[in-house]
Amino acid sequence: MVIWLIGLSGAGKTTIGTRLAERLRARNPGVVYLDGDLLREVWGGTLSHDVAGREVNAERLSRLCRMLDRQGVDVVAAVLSIFPHWQEWNRQNLSRYFEVFLDVPMDVVIDRDTKGLYQAALRGEAENVVGVDIPFPRPASPDLVLDSSGRDGTPDELVERILSAPGLVTS
Ligand SMILES: Nc1ncnc2c1ncn2[C@@H]1O[C@H](COP(=O)(O)OP(=O)(O)O)[C@@H](O)[C@H]1O
Ligand SMILES: [Mg+2]
């Protein structure tokens, strides 16, 4: 089973994904958390943030999820995925795939600017920022959509919403 969190930078993927994995480990200590940003370092720190580099990261993450899923390992994956075809691949290739879209308005993530990326991009000093110079396609068929601007609750409340979502089957 793979729970896949999608959202813009600053949407709360790492915050929610880490806590979700911790909550799942209470029942199943073998749950693995995979964060797209951390995987870049696992791959050797060589991938760019342009569309081509992002696609290599997305493909490797999906294929790693399949490898773990085939061994019965439950995974929480967090990635700023802009590739509808890899999300479709997940649905076809993973035993159970539950996609959560952390939908948050641009002005909220610009305000948070957790990595300082948005202000730099808006000043023209950074490129390859999704939501600014790389378009973010809204996921076509997420299993759950949560507003992570605070409107649907705190990060912990959103974790509970995911855990109690109809259609989520965990081991
Ligand atoms: N309701 C909320 N849901 C998720 N994150 C929130 C919420 N309210 C505030 N935040 C904050 O927004 C930031 C999200 O950052 P992060 O988890 O690193 O996002 P991402 O991994 O998607 O880039 C964190 O500092 C988090 O505490
Ligand atoms: Mg993150």
Side-chain angles (χ1 to χ4, degrees):
M1 184 270 303
V2 176
I3 304 176
W4 184 272
L5 305 177
I6 302 183
L8 289 164
S9 180
K13 301 179 298 295
T14 300
T15 307
I16 290 169
T18 309
R19 297 183 195 185
L20 176 63
E22 273 168 24
R23 287 279 279 110
L24 290 168
R25 284 187 194 119
R27 274 179 278 172
N28 170 7
V31 171
V32 169
Y33 172 64
L34 298 177
D35 190 294
D37 273 339
L38 300 179
L39 284 178
R40 287 173 168 277
E41 194 269 328
V42 173
W43 313 139
T46 52
L47 290 181
S48 67
H49 283 82
D50 62 14
V51 172
R54 289 174 185 276
E55 176 141 24
V56 173
N57 199 36
E59 172 170 359
R60 290 180 185 173
L61 173 57
S62 285
R63 292 189 185 280
L64 179 56
C65 283
R66 179 171 67 175
M67 179 180 176
L68 293 170
D69 180 53
R70 282 180 170 163
Q71 295 177 55
V73 177
D74 286 345
V75 178
V76 175
V79 65
L80 201 185
S81 176
I82 54 168
F83 304 101
H85 52 281
W86 282 107
Q87 281 132 233
E88 191 47 42
W89 187 94
N90 292 341
R91 218 172 271 292
Q92 303 296 329
N93 286 276
L94 302 173
S95 64
R96 286 198 302 268
Y97 174 65
F98 192 86
E99 188 179 291
V100 181
F101 176 29
L102 299 177
D103 189 8
V104 62
M106 268 311 284
D107 60 305
V108 173
V109 288
I110 289 173
D111 209 42
R112 285 182 185 160
D113 213 4
T114 43
K115 295 179 181 163
L117 271 176
Y118 293 113
Q119 287 307 331
L122 293 170
R123 285 195 304 268
E125 291 165 8
E127 50 182 16
N128 296 320
V129 178
V130 176
V132 184
D133 61 332
I134 296 180
F136 178 66
R138 292 173 65 83
S141 49
D143 298 285
L144 180 64
V145 181
L146 296 171
D147 182 326
S148 58
S149 66
R151 233 193 318 192
D152 282 353
T154 62
D156 283 330
E157 285 166 343
L158 298 184
V159 167
E160 296 310 316
R161 289 273 301 272
I162 296 169
L163 288 167
S164 60
L168 181 74
V169 185
T170 56
S171 23

